[in-house]
Structures are given as structure tokens and as C-alpha cells.
Amino acid sequence: MSLSRAPRGLLLTAGAALAAALTLTACSGDSNGTSGGGGNTNFVTNTGGIDTVAKGERTAPNTLAGTTLDGKPLDVADLKGKVVVLNAWGSWCGPCRAEAKHFTKVATDLKSEGVEFVGINTRDPNKQPALAFEKDFAVPYPSLYDPAGELILNGFPKGTLNPQGIPSTVVLDRDGKIAARALMPLNETKLRKMIDPIAAEKASGN
């Protein structure tokens, strides 16, 4: 049975199990980046915990679309031509709270340079805590509401740099392809280090 046809209850269980198991990794303080995507991956794992893919070897994500926390439709594919920073987070997640102020600052600073941030809010069965989180940290960008983790499970092809914990951050290049990933909370310095080389690239037009 494919995940896309699985009963909703199964997706809820799978999404919760994935996020619960990998939150432990995110909170463990292990930032050596020794993570894998499975399959025949072509990414390089840096000692700083940021995985990258060479420009000619990148893959586009699957559909990453839905409704934001404030009820608006959003399809990440519509942002092609910009660098897109995807951050998987939950209001219940301590490391997510620790990195939030850094994401707010960098998102504001880089918007004029064609860098867009999109959150993926997961495992918040009620929107109110997530909306309060966004208000508390003055988050200036939208977040797709993904309480069952369906976008995290199905939005990234096997063998790519997919989110494997909460928080996780994935950067798409201007061609809409997966270029980098971090499986740890990021401060401003690490976040910029992750984004800047991708923002410096030009779109291939493919």
C-alpha cells in the first residue's frame, strides 16, 4: 500500500512516529551531520552538519502544497526562481523555539535577495499553539499546516535530502531542486552559511 493511499489513521501514526523518533535525535546535541537519505545519494556531508548536493545532481521535491496556518493556499512550486528555505517545526519543540529568532532575522534580511522562507508546521493537532508561536517570534513567513506529517513523509523523494527530524531545514535552489539540508537547530551564522552559496547561484532555466 502506498503512503498516498494509506488510511488517514495510518498516516497519523506514521507521521507521529517519525517525528517523535527523530525529535530525540534533534535534541541529542549530535550535530556531526552523519545522516543519510537512503538509496544512491550523491550528497556530501559536511562536518558542520549541513548536507549539500552538487548543482548538477539535485532532485526536485514532490508536491509541497496545502493550506497555511492562517488558512491560505500555498504551493512551494510557485516559488520557483527564488531560493526557498523549508523549515519543519512544531510549537512543542524546544530546539524550534531556540532557532526561531534566527530564522525570523535571516528571513527578513534576505527577502530582498530573492530568498523565501516557508515553514512546515507538524504534530500540532490544534493550530492555536502554532499561531501563538508565530506571534511570539514575529515570524514573517507562512507555514504549511501539516499536523499528521504527510508533507514531510511524502514531499521528498527517497534518497534525497529529506527532513528526518524536528527541527529540520531544507534549502531549494532557484530551479526548485533540493540543494542542502540540516538536521539540527540553526543559529544565524549556520543558517546563512547554508543559504549563501545557493543564493549566489544562478537559475539554470531547466
Side-chain angles (χ1 to χ4, degrees):
M1 180 185 295
S2 69
L3 284 173
S4 61
R5 296 183 180 179
R8 181 166 180 81
L10 179 59
L11 284 170
L12 284 166
T13 302
L18 172 72
L22 293 170
T23 297
L24 296 176
T25 301
C27 295
S28 69
D30 177 8
S31 60
N32 61 12
T34 55
S35 56
N40 295 318
T41 55
N42 294 312
F43 62 84
V44 175
T45 304
N46 296 324
T47 57
I50 298 173
D51 303 327
T52 60
V53 183
K55 187 172 175 62
E57 299 174 344
R58 297 172 187 168
T59 304
N62 298 326
T63 300
L64 292 169
T67 304
T68 64
L69 283 169
D70 58 0
K72 298 178 181 178
L74 174 63
D75 188 340
V76 172
D78 292 339
L79 299 174
K80 188 175 180 180
K82 299 179 180 291
V83 172
V84 180
V85 181
L86 301 168
N87 178 244
W89 65 279
S91 66
W92 44 268
C93 165
C96 299
R97 301 187 74 83
E99 71 176 8
K101 64 181 180 180
H102 304 292
F103 276 70
T104 292
K105 183 177 188 307
V106 176
T108 301
D109 289 350
L110 296 185
K111 188 173 181 63
S112 63
E113 298 179 26
V115 177
E116 294 287 343
F117 280 59
V118 175
I120 302 176
N121 171 253
T122 191
R123 292 187 67 207
D124 272 311
N126 186 314
K127 288 184 179 181
Q128 293 310 310
L131 289 168
F133 178 106
E134 290 190 326
K135 182 178 180 180
D136 288 346
F137 293 101
V139 177
Y141 52 86
S143 282
L144 288 164
Y145 185 47
D146 185 33
E150 295 178 47
L151 291 176
I152 294 174
L153 282 170
N154 303 327
F156 300 84
K158 183 178 179 181
T160 63
L161 297 180
N162 54 319
Q164 293 185 9
I166 309 298
S168 289
T169 302
V170 174
V171 180
L172 309 183
D173 65 18
R174 298 186 193 277
D175 296 316
K177 295 182 177 180
I178 301 166
R181 177 192 65 184
L183 300 179
M184 60 184 178
L186 300 171
N187 58 25
E188 180 180 353
T189 299
K190 289 181 178 179
L191 184 55
R192 288 180 180 275
K193 180 179 179 181
M194 186 179 183
I195 298 169
D196 287 350
I198 301 165
E201 299 172 352
K202 293 183 179 179
S204 67
N206 295 331

